[in-house]
């Protein structure tokens, strides 16, 4: 082979050895370059969240409304790589959100869990005291300012309030989840999946009642177990029903007429159907409706209603399930009503539970997003905080605890005040997950403390009375010595240290702030610090992050409030007395009957999920501070068997919000040229 | 620099020049490798669909149920790259589906459109004749076997029937869209977005009526135009209403009391609300309901109902919009009812149209999927084929026509028979899009032809009579000379050549197949070929693909059936006479009143969307073949102003399917260990 060009230009010049060496160096440089190019994506994947986060810098000199819009989220696959996810564990939904596969739990099962922090609040004003912003500010401080791995695990908000009164729920100011419009709208479709699953059950119930009312046993049997090429076979889900009925037969032809009857007739009592339809819209006109009025339904009308989608039991199941199999089993156990003979009827009896699992197969994967400072967030499940337990999912917490590693932090939030959200977090969620928390962050505001100290009423829409704008140390002190102190004591009942986070507003004075921190520490809080995350992002929560880190390093001594084997009434009484400060409980006759019925059905071993107002430690919303000397009335007792809790009703709980005269939607718009959304907040 | 190891091992051996050369070669090979590695992703992106498709091979020796499960879809980003999409134009939703950004239309606006093929059918039996499988088989043949660029544009199916009677709609056999469970379930959430938007309108209507009924003009005004820091301002959407009312003022304080009244009171007549709620579930008990029965709604009860989600006008808008701005304008124009003084009330009057656009911002992007042979498919919108126009989206077709390029093919499908779906495709969809079709593929089956030739009734669930299983040439011939011939003539009315695709079943004999093809060509079809895509995939449709390619190369002479400026009644009559073969139409008094009202409101220039049975060319489902000598009765006339059509009702159209005694969901299940889904088909 002749190769003159080589020789002339490089090889056969003055110093052959020098050229030789150059070439070898060039060759190895290129070789090295290629190796790096090929291996880099592999070597840069740590198996837990590394400290080599790319922090998104905040621009603190723009107006509030522009904050979210101004920050460009990092691509979700970059975020995923930074937190230690493998590409095959990620399912992107667009560029800024992704679902995370549960297989991660298997891969990291030997990894020690991080520290587990719960953000709860004192009894709030109707305006809310900022638990979500504290949660987000805290992880921004931990990850972006203290270089400690951290994850926030948040609830997905209902779309209803976004267009109604409350607006979005992505945090606020410089402590937000971005993009906030994705967070507040469809996200990755989990609530839509819940709506679809919930309403399939409802359609199945009414259609089944119609078919049972209009067909003979034989006709029902022939349709339910159809002859395919001359052969009748039970389907797997029908075998489950046969088993519950105690019928140990596999050949449909061998059933006795009595067995056929009990197999084909769920015999639902229309007045005892507890399953409601749901819609993720604030549609007050659906609170109470009559269905089945078309001629085609042959007069089978009945009264029922719609709840907001997040009130569905399926949402509570999503939040409590700890695997796909666990979710499937819970979905099959859901009780939709009672037969005329008093037997509970389940979704499995309806033959629909497999389809529910199929509808929910993607919803079970948590959604990865990020804060304004580019730190990771899981958004997953958002059950109601009154008729359900008001906490985000067990699975998101478990995944996050593995990802942050031993010295990292997972910060999650409980709905309502600590007397409700935190109590349910400990007694229901931690019981289901087996996880043990390390620190409680108790969020307080000067505003709420003044209210508990005797300040005038606070209500949404009305201007704040002057007590809340001017310095008033005596109201603050009185509030601290009542509600704040009591909520700290409640956390200590569970053996967990408390850090008080004072969410600072611009009307708060330094003397007020100092007073709160001093009293809180005097009441047993490990620490108490003011937080300015709303105005400054993570930088404003550095003191809180340091206090949490310090408190988490101490040994905790977690214990449940009650033994699960206690009788239902005793469990309710324990919560009422020890948490709310009631003298006793008073069960209505209806409540007593229900408790007897649940005991008889074997549901006595479930934990309790109190449905009580969040505006007072008592059942009376206007009793602020730390009321005593009251008896807690239990109007009724209900059960979510699939989710796995009994919920006593203390007063009436609305499960469907309404739209005001001028709902948020008036200001929500989209510019079709720029694609920019206005009016979402 | 000493470098002994180099010298010893390689350089200073027997032949220095040879080593030298080796090194240079090695160096250049590596250099070339790097250049390829860096440049490949750029150079391999064509600006239209290339022929360098990676075809997924079919395994023809497995059982039907395993077909979909056995094929591993190619990653959607690979598919996107193959069809010429840039990474920034793609929003992946998991690994096998992605939304495509509309910015593609700008990038490719100079690219010539491909050939536009519509798949329609003869009047079907209640079992359906396989238009979807023909569509998918045809693109599999074009792309994977003839190396012609092609795209299928399909409707997204409602989730209702998936769990009800019909099952999924992803095609069948070896002509399917994969993964079929993604196709049949939530997909990318478009139908959920429609449900949310539709029901927000419904909630807004009822809440507004309640607030108007219980508040004074002044209270309404103060709430609708609230004082913020002492200043009242109209929002942009309120200016639109003021403009419609002819009030040219910007200062809220300057409105006269009469102007305040007309501004704050939509004064909806409860008996004239046309807007229904929707749910994507077969829930027959919601067909007719009474809402507002809770005490909180203060006795404002009224009768209304739910439709299946795909019957929402918002679905029809999604299908007809040709940009984000167009969709926004259509959403704002939707009429929800009439005021007591007879004025139409729109979603913009309710203040909700901006929020609807925000809810629909992602739904407007078509979803990219693939066939079993890895060829590209857009799935986008699925409006009802009776009360709406039954065709997939304009935008998906437009994107696909650019992507396939001048010699490529876009194949889309029209619901029901050609007398309905095709007529609406031409007169409504093509009018909205400005696109002109090149070929109609008319799907026929021996089964349907025999029915039209006088065979006994065919019904779902019952075994087929023997006429349909044994050879019967006279029934086939009679069917061809009636319905098939008429449907070919209908396509020719629009100036478009027809290729008849005979969807072959295993009971069809060669003589029957040959007879259909011969008669079809005699009736003016450009070609007529048997198709075996169900059994063989694209290979079974090669002849059809060749015939379509041939027909598309001929010049076509497209024309609308009627001039849009004709009076409403004349437009209806034209369709009835020329398409259905009716002698005339007969308008009920209600229909006449509505036509007068629509003319008066300026809606007279809209095209017509007939709501007629698909089981006959006439309005009588049992009249098969090509009925003549009948008068088409128009019971009522309605309008979808946002979607942009008037829909005359010929008989009663059900807009909410029901669940049978044993719905499909009985067999649908998911294995929590393998994640495998069973029972979806």
């Amino acid at each position: 082979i002749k190769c003159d060009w080589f020789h002339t230009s490089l090889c056969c010049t003055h110093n052959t050895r020098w050229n030789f060496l150059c070439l070898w160096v060039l060759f190895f440089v290129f070789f090295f370059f290629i190796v790096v190019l090929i291996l880099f994506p592999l070597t840069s994947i740590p198996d837990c969240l590394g400290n080599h986060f790319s922090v998104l810098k905040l621009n603190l000199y723009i107006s509030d409304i522009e904050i979210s819009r101004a920050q460009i989220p990092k691509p979700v696959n970059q975020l995923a790589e930074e937190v230690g996810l493998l590409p095959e564990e990620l399912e992107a939904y667009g560029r800024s959100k992704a679902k995370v596969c549960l297989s991660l739990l298997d891969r990291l099962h030997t990894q020690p869990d991080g520290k587990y922090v719960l953000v709860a609040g004192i009894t709030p004003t109707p305006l809310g005291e900022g638990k979500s912003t504290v949660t987000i500010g805290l992880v921004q401080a931990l990850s972006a300012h203290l270089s400690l791995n951290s994850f926030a695990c948040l609830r997905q908000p209902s779309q209803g309030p976004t267009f109604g009164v409350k607006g979005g729920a992505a945090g606020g100011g410089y402590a937000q989840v971005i993009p906030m419009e994705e967070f507040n709208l469809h996200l990755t479709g989990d609530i839509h999946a819940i709506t679809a699953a919930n309403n399939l059950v409802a359609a199945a119930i009414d259609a089944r009642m119609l078919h049972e009312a209009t067909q003979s046993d034989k006709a029902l049997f022939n349709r339910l177990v159809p002859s395919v090429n001359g052969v009748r076979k039970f389907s797997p889900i029908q075998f489950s029903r046969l088993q519950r009925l105690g019928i140990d037969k596999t050949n449909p032809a061998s059933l006795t007429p009595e067995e056929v009857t009990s197999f084909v007739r769920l015999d639902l009592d229309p007045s005892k159907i507890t399953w409601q339809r749901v819609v993720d819209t604030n549609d007050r006109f659906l609170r109470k409706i009559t269905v089945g009025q078309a001629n085609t339904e042959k007069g089978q009308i009945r009264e029922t209603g719609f709840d907001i989608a997040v009130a569905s039991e399926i949402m509570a199941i999503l939040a409590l399930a700890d695997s796909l199999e666990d979710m499937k089993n819970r979905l099959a156990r859901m009780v939709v009503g009672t037969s005329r003979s008093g037997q509970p009827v389940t979704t499995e009896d309806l033959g629909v539970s497999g389809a529910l699992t199929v509808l929910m197969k993607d919803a079970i994967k948590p959604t990865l997003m990020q804060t304004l400072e580019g730190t990771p967030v899981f958004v997953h499940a958002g059950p109601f905080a009154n008729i359900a337990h008001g906490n985000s999912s067990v699975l998101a917490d478990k995944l996050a605890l593995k990802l942050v590693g031993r010295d990292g932090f997972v910060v999650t939030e409980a709905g309502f005040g600590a007397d409700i959200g935190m109590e349910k977090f400990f007694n229901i969620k931690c019981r289901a997950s087996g996880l043990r928390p390390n620190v409680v962050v108790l969020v307080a505001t000067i505003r709420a403390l003044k209210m508990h100290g005797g300040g005038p009423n606070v209500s949404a829409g009305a201007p704040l009375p002057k007590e809340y704008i001017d310095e008033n140390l005596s109201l603050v002190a009185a509030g601290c010595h009542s509600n704040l102190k009591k909520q700290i004591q409640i956390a200590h009942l569970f053996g967990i240290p408390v850090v008080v986070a004072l969410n600072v507003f611009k009307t708060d004075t330094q003397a007020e702030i100092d007073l709160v921190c001093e009293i809180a520490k005097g009441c047993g809080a490990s620490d108490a610090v003011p937080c300015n995350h709303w105005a400054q992002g993570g930088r404003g929560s550095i003191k809180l992050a340091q206090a949490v880190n310090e408190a988490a390093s101490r040994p905790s001594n977690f214990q449940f409030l009650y033994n699960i084997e206690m009788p239902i009434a005793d469990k309710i009484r324990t919560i009422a007395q020890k948490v709310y400060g009631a003298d006793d409980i008073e069960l209505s006759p209806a409540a007593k009957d229900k408790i007897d019925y649940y005991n008889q059905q074997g549901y006595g071993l479930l934990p309790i999920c109190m449905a009580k107002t969040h505006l007072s430690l008592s059942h009376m919303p206007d009793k602020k501070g730390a009321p005593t000397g009251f008896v807690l009335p239990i109007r009724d007792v209900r059960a979510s068997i699939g989710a796995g809790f009994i919920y006593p009703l203390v007063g009436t709980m609305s499960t469907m919000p309404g739209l005001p005269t001028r709902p948020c939607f008036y200001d929500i718009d989209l510019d079709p040229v720029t694609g920019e959304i206005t009016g979402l907040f």
Side-chain angles (χ1 to χ4, degrees), chain A residues 198 272-276 307 311-314 316-317 320 330 333-338 344-347 386-389 428 568 571-572 590-591 593-611 634-649:
Chain A
N198 185 97
K272 292 200 175 151
I273 291 169
T274 50
W275 197 261
Q276 300 244 98
D307 296 328
S312 170
E313 181 174 351
I314 298 175
I317 288 177
L320 288 170
R330 287 171 184 265
R333 281 200 300 267
M334 293 193 296
V335 172
V336 301
T338 312
V345 174
T346 66
T347 49
N386 46 27
I387 62 157
H389 65 295
I428 299 175
I568 292 174
K571 286 186 272 199
I572 301 173
D593 289 351
K594 284 289 197 59
I595 289 174
D596 291 344
Y597 176 72
Y598 293 144
N599 278 327
Q600 172 202 327
Q601 292 296 335
Y603 304 149
L605 293 185
L606 294 174
I608 304 300
C609 184
M610 299 297 287
I634 308 296
R635 188 171 63 83
D636 196 1
V637 179
R638 296 194 185 147
S640 288
I641 302 304
F645 51 71
I646 303 279
Y647 60 103
L649 296 178

Side-chain angles (χ1 to χ4, degrees), chain A residues 447-516:
Chain A
R447 180 173 72 194
L449 289 168
K450 285 176 173 173
M451 179 187 74
H452 289 298
N457 269 350
V458 174
S459 62
L464 274 179
K466 69 169 175 28
E467 286 83 348
Y468 296 100
I469 292 157
D470 303 336
E471 182 173 282
N472 191 325
L473 295 173
S474 66
L475 285 182
V476 169
C480 287
H481 283 297
S482 59
N483 196 271
L484 179 65
K485 182 179 170 188
K486 174 69 181 165
Q487 300 280 22
I488 292 171
Q489 288 169 345
I490 296 171
H492 286 165
L493 281 179
F494 295 88
I496 304 295
V498 176
V499 174
V500 171
L502 182 67
N503 186 14
V504 174
F505 285 57
K506 61 182 175 194
T507 48
D508 300 346
T509 69
Q510 192 58 46
E512 289 175 329
I513 294 169
D514 292 343
L515 183 64
V516 174

Side-chain angles (χ1 to χ4, degrees), chain A residues 76 79-80 83 85 89-93 96-105 151-156 183 187-190 318-324 327 360-370 376-382 392-401 403 410 429:
Chain A
V76 71
L79 176 69
V83 304
L85 290 165
E89 288 162 350
L90 201 74
E91 293 175 2
Y93 277 61
S96 50
K97 55 192 194 296
K99 283 198 164 286
V100 172
C101 298
L102 302 186
S103 60
L104 177 70
L105 280 179
F151 240 100
C153 290
L154 299 176
R155 288 169 291 168
Q156 183 187 355
F183 182 86
L187 198 68
T188 48
D190 296 354
L318 180 67
L320 288 170
D322 79 348
S323 68
L324 188 57
M327 182 176 76
M360 292 290 294
K361 76 180 171 59
D362 295 314
I364 199 174
K365 301 168 196 161
T367 297
L368 178 67
M369 292 189 77
Q370 64 195 284
V377 175
F378 274 139
V379 187
H380 202 216
S392 60
S393 84
V394 162
L395 277 167
D397 290 359
K398 286 197 166 177
L399 291 171
L401 284 164
L403 286 169
V410 171
K429 185 174 172 183

Side-chain angles (χ1 to χ4, degrees), chain A residues 221 225 234-252 255 259-260 262-264 349:
Chain A
F221 191 77
V225 192
F234 291 120
S235 68
I237 207 162
Q238 292 177 329
F239 277 119
S240 301
R241 174 160 171 81
L242 288 168
Q243 198 175 15
R244 266 194 308 285
L245 293 171
I247 302 172
D248 184 25
K249 295 181 177 175
T250 53
N251 179 5
L255 264 60
E259 286 170 340
V260 166
S262 62
F263 173 73
V264 300
D349 289 321

Side-chain angles (χ1 to χ4, degrees), chain A residues 176-471:
Chain A
Q176 289 191 37
V177 178
I178 56 171
M180 64 100 90
E181 59 270 31
E182 308 275 326
F183 182 86
N184 285 321
L185 298 174
H186 312 290
L187 198 68
T188 48
D190 296 354
I191 295 183
H192 294 319
I194 289 166
T195 304
N198 185 97
N199 291 346
L200 183 60
V201 175
I205 292 169
D206 278 312
R208 181 64 175 253
M209 286 200 297
L210 174 71
H211 293 305
E212 287 189 26
T214 54
Q215 292 177 45
S216 68
D217 289 4
K218 189 172 166 53
L220 282 170
F221 191 77
N222 286 347
R223 290 202 169 100
L224 286 170
V225 192
S227 166
V228 179
N229 301 323
V231 182
R232 290 190 197 276
K233 272 187 187 168
F234 291 120
S235 68
I237 207 162
Q238 292 177 329
F239 277 119
S240 301
R241 174 160 171 81
L242 288 168
Q243 198 175 15
R244 266 194 308 285
L245 293 171
I247 302 172
D248 184 25
K249 295 181 177 175
T250 53
N251 179 5
S254 68
L255 264 60
T256 65
E258 293 71 30
E259 286 170 340
V260 166
T261 305
S262 62
F263 173 73
V264 300
R265 297 213 173 264
L266 305 183
D267 200 28
L268 271 160
D269 181 342
S271 69
K272 292 200 175 151
I273 291 169
T274 50
W275 197 261
Q276 300 244 98
R277 289 170 176 84
V278 301
V279 67
D280 196 27
T281 309
N282 287 9
D283 194 346
R284 51 192 297 166
F285 275 70
L286 296 178
R287 284 170 183 162
K288 195 168 170 189
I289 64 173
T290 299
V291 299
Q293 296 179 312
N295 292 336
T296 46
E297 278 59 68
K298 301 168 188 169
Q300 300 280 311
I301 65 165
R302 71 179 182 94
E303 267 192 6
T304 179
F306 277 71
D307 296 328
I308 189 96
V310 293
S312 170
E313 181 174 351
I314 298 175
M315 175 59 99
I317 288 177
L318 180 67
L320 288 170
D322 79 348
S323 68
L324 188 57
E325 185 162 12
D326 184 33
M327 182 176 76
K328 184 178 171 178
N329 293 337
R330 287 171 184 265
L331 289 171
R333 281 200 300 267
M334 293 193 296
V335 172
V336 301
T338 312
S339 72
R340 287 193 172 85
S341 64
Q343 290 306 301
V345 174
T346 66
T347 49
E348 198 173 53
D349 289 321
L350 285 164
V352 77
S353 55
L356 301 184
T357 311
V358 169
L359 280 168
M360 292 290 294
K361 76 180 171 59
D362 295 314
I364 199 174
K365 301 168 196 161
T367 297
L368 178 67
M369 292 189 77
Q370 64 195 284
T371 66
L372 262 181
E373 295 186 62
T375 78
V377 175
F378 274 139
V379 187
H380 202 216
F384 247 34
N386 46 27
I387 62 157
H389 65 295
N391 280 274
S392 60
S393 84
V394 162
L395 277 167
D397 290 359
K398 286 197 166 177
L399 291 171
L401 284 164
K402 292 297 180 198
L403 286 169
V404 298
R406 190 197 312 267
D407 301 318
F409 286 83
V410 171
V411 184
T412 185
E413 180 196 344
F416 289 179
D419 52 315
I420 305 181
M422 182 183 73
E423 183 271 310
K424 293 176 182 178
F425 174 82
F426 290 141
N427 282 322
I428 299 175
K429 185 174 172 183
C430 288
R431 219 183 283 262
S433 69
L435 297 172
R436 296 295 171 256
N438 300 87
V439 182
V440 165
V441 172
L442 191 65
V443 178
T445 60
I446 299 284
R447 180 173 72 194
L449 289 168
K450 285 176 173 173
M451 179 187 74
H452 289 298
N457 269 350
V458 174
S459 62
L464 274 179
K466 69 169 175 28
E467 286 83 348
Y468 296 100
I469 292 157
D470 303 336
E471 182 173 282

